[in-house]
Amino acid sequence: MTLHTLKTFDHLMEAHLLKSKLEDEGIYCFLKDEFLVGLDPLYANALGGIKLQVNKNDWEKALNILAAINQSYHMQILACPQCDSVDYYENYKSFKSVKGLLALCFSFLFLAYPIYHKYVRKCKKCGLETAY
């Protein structure tokens, strides 16, 4: 059995919601790195998120279900303005500012959780960060 990643998530609850929908439709799926991110949510960025993987034989059916869910919630697919890619990280924690860099340095020095970051959408291909 060959598994392919259908979608990645930063939060465990969102991953389980889609997994339960796919399992209701009879599609076998697996959440890779679910327990590591569940133990410490800061690992989500390091691991690339929680990966929802489906069987190769059920790939088309899973894509159709995912498209139906996206369409039912009127979610539009946003393309990167620089490279026109639709593959991006949602709710990416960005430290690309003076406050963010200071907070990051502070967290490394004092082993504390970063007190400042902003959530952006980051393109996986070119790395462009755009605000909401």
Side-chain angles (χ1 to χ4, degrees), residues 8-15 37 41 44-45 48-50 89-93:
T8 58
F9 300 92
D10 290 332
H11 303 288
L12 190 59
M13 189 59 66
E14 294 172 358
V37 175
N45 287 339
I50 302 166
Y89 295 109
E90 189 72 37
N91 293 330
Y92 184 80
K93 294 178 183 174

Side-chain angles (χ1 to χ4, degrees), residues 24-88:
D24 284 344
E25 298 290 331
I27 298 174
Y28 172 77
C29 45
F30 175 74
L31 291 175
K32 185 177 180 184
D33 298 329
E34 164 189 18
F35 297 113
L36 285 173
V37 175
L39 285 173
D40 189 356
L42 295 176
Y43 286 149
N45 287 339
L47 297 172
I50 302 166
K51 297 155 200 76
L52 178 67
Q53 297 184 329
V54 296
N55 191 356
K56 181 181 176 183
N57 300 333
D58 296 327
W59 181 258
E60 291 298 323
K61 187 176 177 184
L63 280 178
N64 291 335
I65 292 171
L66 185 61
I69 290 171
N70 288 341
Q71 187 178 25
S72 69
Y73 289 116
H74 303 290
M75 295 175 66
Q76 65 181 28
I77 298 176
L78 301 174
C80 176
Q82 188 169 352
C83 67
D84 291 330
S85 172
V86 294
D87 197 18
Y88 57 86

Side-chain angles (χ1 to χ4, degrees), residues 17-27 29 61 65:
L17 287 172
L18 184 57
K19 180 184 178 200
S20 65
K21 175 63 176 168
L22 292 175
E23 286 177 343
D24 284 344
E25 298 290 331
I27 298 174
C29 45
K61 187 176 177 184
I65 292 171

